[in-house]
Amino acid sequence: MARNIYLMICLWIICPLCFNAKMAHGSPPIAEMKKSTVRVICIASKKSGAGSGFVVGNGRYVVTNWHVVNCTSNGGDAGILVGHNESINADVIWKSEKKDLAILKLEKRTKRPAVTFGTSDSVEDAETVYALGFPGAADRRTDSDEVKISRGIISAFAKSHTGTELYQTDAAINPGNSGGPLFNEYGHVIGVNSEKALALVKVIVQDKSGNSVEKFDRVPIGEGIGWAIQTDELLSELETLGIPYDTAGITDHIAQFLKRSDILFPSVAVIIALLSMYIASNKTRRQRFSNTVEKIGETVGFGRKRHQ
């Protein structure tokens, strides 16, 4: 009889835990993620552009795409915007056309927090990700200083035509997002947003006088198809330059595990079930367990008290 009771208790515990295995994860630290994301600008007499980036090191460096700041190769000036009409000049101290990455050294330290990195060995297919940045089209209807957020998943692991390791993602990435961070749900940067599936086509538009003119424009050639450069491609360059950075450590991985209810709850349920069966399989263990429970109950003021 006692053994059956213990087995029933085991089932009462394990079933609710399993049914709740897909409970929502903890919320990502959006506020910190936004603080680490900056708008990058590149101004030249003939060619100017803007994109996104994120703070690394001690707040003196920013990572972005090379194509965002390549106007510097023609005498242009790069910098970041950190608030309304507030900018910090920057120099490109490292670039790679092959990887489409660049590292900027700021003229002065920003108070923005540096990001923590996650590497590809911690990334899984269909993992939730967040692309942060400043897509230009969104500035028309929102505060241009506000970091924009899009949510998606890791669709696939991929490579560029130059052999650079990428993530394919369906998080919305548009012109202006280039160089911005791709965060996982724990607030770790796992990628650098670089491009989406676009094609350059000839379109007819009206100029200011109302006349029809031809121009080239970029249009999507697929829905929900974008790419981010894996942070593994960047970290070795930060090391070479002596720029300090943080990666997710053992405590972060433990925190990730504790947030993974789809793993944690079944694991706890199995441990409880095995422990319950171990106790229930032996009369002496059952008696000791019952005695222990009664003593604990008496200590906290519950349970059946023994009378002399």
Side-chain angles (χ1 to χ4, degrees):
M1 181 65 180
R3 180 179 299 181
N4 292 336
I5 292 175
Y6 277 105
L7 291 175
M8 289 178 65
I9 291 174
C10 170
L11 291 174
W12 290 340
I13 293 172
I14 195 171
C15 288
L17 287 172
C18 288
F19 279 122
N20 285 284
K22 294 297 181 182
M23 288 175 60
H25 300 317
S27 300
I30 295 295
E32 288 298 306
M33 292 155 60
K34 292 173 71 173
K35 288 179 183 177
S36 299
T37 306
V38 296
R39 189 192 293 268
V40 178
I41 54 175
C42 196
I43 301 174
S45 58
K46 294 184 178 181
K47 182 180 180 182
S48 300
S52 304
F54 55 91
V55 178
V56 298
N58 53 10
R60 195 70 185 270
Y61 304 91
V62 165
V63 171
T64 188
N65 286 144
W66 165 239
H67 77 258
V68 172
V69 291
N70 65 4
C71 81
T72 58
S73 61
N74 297 316
D77 297 312
I80 66 168
L81 297 179
V82 292
H84 189 61
N85 295 326
E86 181 182 356
S87 63
I88 300 177
N89 294 332
D91 293 320
V92 177
I93 62 170
W94 175 85
K95 65 181 177 67
S96 171
E97 295 183 28
K98 176 183 176 181
K99 294 183 178 182
D100 192 19
L101 288 173
I103 300 173
L104 313 181
K105 184 174 183 179
L106 304 180
E107 187 177 63
K108 63 179 181 180
R109 182 175 289 111
T110 175
K111 296 180 181 179
R112 302 292 187 93
V115 302
T116 297
F117 291 103
T119 51
S120 60
D121 57 359
S122 65
V123 178
E124 300 177 350
D125 284 336
E127 180 176 339
T128 301
V129 291
Y130 300 84
L132 272 66
F134 299 89
D139 289 342
R140 302 170 188 170
R141 296 179 181 268
T142 60
D143 182 354
S144 60
D145 294 332
E146 183 71 16
V147 180
K148 314 309 186 295
I149 307 167
S150 61
R151 178 179 176 179
I153 63 168
I154 295 294
S155 303
F157 289 69
K159 281 190 178 183
S160 71
H161 65 280
T162 61
T164 302
E165 299 290 342
L166 308 172
Y167 299 118
Q168 181 185 326
T169 175
D170 68 350
I173 296 174
N174 292 284
N177 275 115
S178 294
L182 184 71
F183 287 95
N184 62 17
E185 58 186 328
Y186 309 108
H188 304 148
V189 173
I190 61 171
V192 183
N193 301 318
S194 58
E195 61 179 315
K196 68 179 297 183
L198 295 172
L200 191 65
V201 299
K202 185 182 291 186
V203 296
I204 298 177
V205 297
Q206 288 186 333
D207 61 16
K208 294 181 180 179
S209 301
N211 300 316
S212 296
V213 295
E214 292 183 346
K215 63 172 290 188
F216 286 94
D217 201 0
R218 294 175 293 179
V219 298
I221 56 175
E223 292 298 329
I225 301 176
W227 292 277
I229 302 162
Q230 295 181 16
T231 54
D232 306 64
E233 299 280 2
L234 170 68
L235 299 186
S236 60
E237 309 301 343
L238 294 178
E239 290 180 6
T240 300
L241 292 169
I243 298 174
Y245 64 89
D246 293 325
T247 56
I250 184 64
T251 54
D252 295 298
H253 292 302
I254 292 173
Q256 290 183 27
F257 175 78
L258 293 176
K259 288 183 178 181
R260 287 290 303 274
S261 54
D262 57 325
I263 297 175
L264 177 62
F265 283 120
S267 299
V268 172
V270 169
I271 292 172
I272 293 175
L274 293 174
L275 181 60
S276 299
M277 287 187 286
Y278 174 76
I279 294 171
S281 64
N282 183 275
K283 183 177 180 180
T284 302
R285 286 195 291 266
R286 291 199 302 272
Q287 187 59 51
R288 289 176 180 173
F289 180 76
S290 297
N291 292 340
T292 301
V293 170
E294 286 186 7
K295 288 180 180 179
I296 293 174
E298 291 174 4
T299 301
V300 298
F302 297 101
R304 186 175 63 241
K305 291 187 178 181
R306 292 183 179 178
H307 299 278
Q308 299 296 331

